[in-house]
Amino acid sequence: MATLRRKKAEPFSVFQRDPGPWPPILLNWMATLAIIMVFGLVMLFSASYTTGYLRFGDSFHYIKSQLLCTVLGLGMMFLFSYFDHRFLRRMVKLGYVVCLILLVLVLFSSPINGCRRWISFGGLTLQASEVAKFEMILLTADIAARTPQVRFGEVPLRKWVHHSIVVELIRPILWLVPVLILLVLEPHMSGILLTTAIVGTILLLGGNGGIITWAGAATGIFLLETLLQHIDSIPYLQSRLDGWTQDLSQMTDQTLQSLYAIGSGGVTGLGLGNSIEKQLWLPESNNDFIFSVVCEELGLIGACLILLLFALLIIRGYWLALHARDKFGSLIIVGITTLFAFQVFANVAVVTNLFPVTGISLPFFSSGGSALIIQMAEMGLILSISRQNPVT
């Protein structure tokens, strides 16, 4: 019978010392991130200056806010890049409590378009679901890293089954349930999908697979079927699914105008700043549907270039995860990178009508201050973990 032992933790402090030369792959990852951020700011200004003028009398309304949050986000990124990620293991339970409190406070906020997602602090707003995603990445990574590996045949069958089902699957998911319930009450379908996806990915890659994969898939299918059977009891979700069709007469206005924008862009696009759909024809052109404006102004070539940049960032992110010095850090990078991968894929799928409208923004492109700042903090955490890797 195998004896399960945990490796003694290395000493650490809140802030790490500069480890010296950075790996070339990390520098390439940072360069890709910088290009995406600049690209995003340019496209946000192009997509929002008409909307800002017509709604607020200021063409720079959205870009000024985004630039301010970018500066704050860079500060957060710099801070987190020196933050020792192992210290976060002491804070995950406290962070979980704060996360639940924020999600509860959201339920008492004023609804916008039938949803409650933002908490207002004076002139500032915070989207609690962004905090929840970040917290669930840290919490699940900590749980998966602390869970000892038990392979089939190392222990009696009964103990192996108990460990695989209860320890590796049920216990971590129990932490997820209260978060999902609060997201359902908002309602926030995209938050539910993304949070579940990143938790499932971390558990799959952090455990021994097998029964976790099948049990998680079966549970997801069951929950999806149950939701679809009772979807008529949630008008917000029912309206989204009703508009998800190939019939132009039944399609939602957002999706219809999005397809018009993509189609009119063609291969080379209409040129930067020349979008027609952003003239208040396309709802949320500066937010969830900004990629449609990208396609209209830059065409297929520009859209593919942006997707290529995102692909490079994601692939290099997983490479950094594979070379992290400890399992906790590796799973944090996996969770953050997976979150970005799902967001990019889902956003593009929505604007092209492959998915129903879900309200998923495009990272570093869509307007949204709290989301951008948290995304930059996540990038800083990846940087902190990767700086501890050997130079390669």
Side-chain angles (χ1 to χ4, degrees), residues 3-24:
T3 302
L4 302 178
R5 296 180 180 178
R6 290 183 180 142
K7 184 179 178 180
K8 185 178 180 180
E10 298 180 17
F12 61 90
S13 58
V14 177
F15 292 97
Q16 61 171 324
R17 297 179 178 179
D18 195 325
W22 293 9

Side-chain angles (χ1 to χ4, degrees), residues 136-154:
M136 290 310 300
I137 289 174
L138 298 177
L139 178 62
T140 310
D142 176 59
I143 294 173
R146 293 180 186 275
T147 302
Q149 295 285 315
V150 177
R151 297 182 179 179
F152 183 78
E154 291 184 337

Side-chain angles (χ1 to χ4, degrees), residues 119-227:
I119 305 174
S120 297
F121 301 95
L124 303 177
T125 59
L126 173 66
Q127 190 168 359
S129 61
E130 296 294 331
V131 179
K133 295 172 196 173
F134 192 18
E135 166 58 27
M136 290 310 300
I137 289 174
L138 298 177
L139 178 62
T140 310
D142 176 59
I143 294 173
R146 293 180 186 275
T147 302
Q149 295 285 315
V150 177
R151 297 182 179 179
F152 183 78
E154 291 184 337
V155 296
L157 179 62
R158 183 171 60 87
K159 291 186 177 181
W160 178 81
V161 171
H162 175 270
H163 184 87
S164 298
I165 296 178
V166 177
V167 178
E168 294 189 0
L169 181 62
I170 295 180
R171 287 182 183 175
I173 289 180
L174 288 177
W175 293 92
L176 177 63
V177 172
V179 175
L180 294 183
I181 292 175
L182 292 172
L183 290 175
V184 168
L185 294 176
E186 293 187 15
H188 195 348
M189 179 54 65
S190 61
I192 295 171
L193 295 175
L194 290 174
T195 306
T196 304
I198 57 179
V199 168
T201 302
I202 293 174
L203 291 179
L204 175 62
L205 298 182
N208 60 358
I211 193 169
I212 294 181
T213 304
W214 293 106
T219 303
I221 293 173
F222 172 77
L223 292 176
L224 179 60
E225 181 182 3
T226 303
L227 175 63

